[in-house]
Amino acid sequence: MWREILIGYLLIANLVGFAMMGIDKRRAIKHAWRIPEKILFLASLLGGSIGTWVGMYAYRHKTKHWYFVVGMPAILVVQVAVYFLVKW
């Protein structure tokens, strides 16, 4: 049962991360209030790293910021490593 809950959580977290990138991109184009970068990183840290990373390139958003280009994949690598360490 815990496995299904974890999969559901990760699915939702990644959808939220992906959506946040799209929303922030749209707001950037309209010069509206933006989602703070620390919130985008928080979404990634809370399990949405795949969604935020894919959203970066799907929306072509934050791809010129080195800390996003390096940070998002780094968070994913750490999360995968932790998963395998816990499973091992």
Side-chain angles (χ1 to χ4, degrees), residues 33-63:
W33 176 85
R34 305 280 303 279
I35 298 172
E37 290 180 345
K38 63 183 175 185
I39 299 298
L40 297 173
F41 271 103
L42 182 62
S44 184
L45 286 168
L46 292 176
S49 56
I50 295 172
T52 53
W53 191 28
V54 170
M56 276 177 51
Y57 292 99
Y59 297 113
R60 295 186 181 139
H61 189 53
K62 302 287 187 186
T63 56

Side-chain angles (χ1 to χ4, degrees), residues 22-40:
I23 291 166
D24 194 49
K25 175 67 175 193
R26 188 176 333 119
R27 289 179 177 176
I29 291 169
K30 293 181 177 185
H31 302 286
W33 176 85
R34 305 280 303 279
I35 298 172
E37 290 180 345
K38 63 183 175 185
I39 299 298
L40 297 173

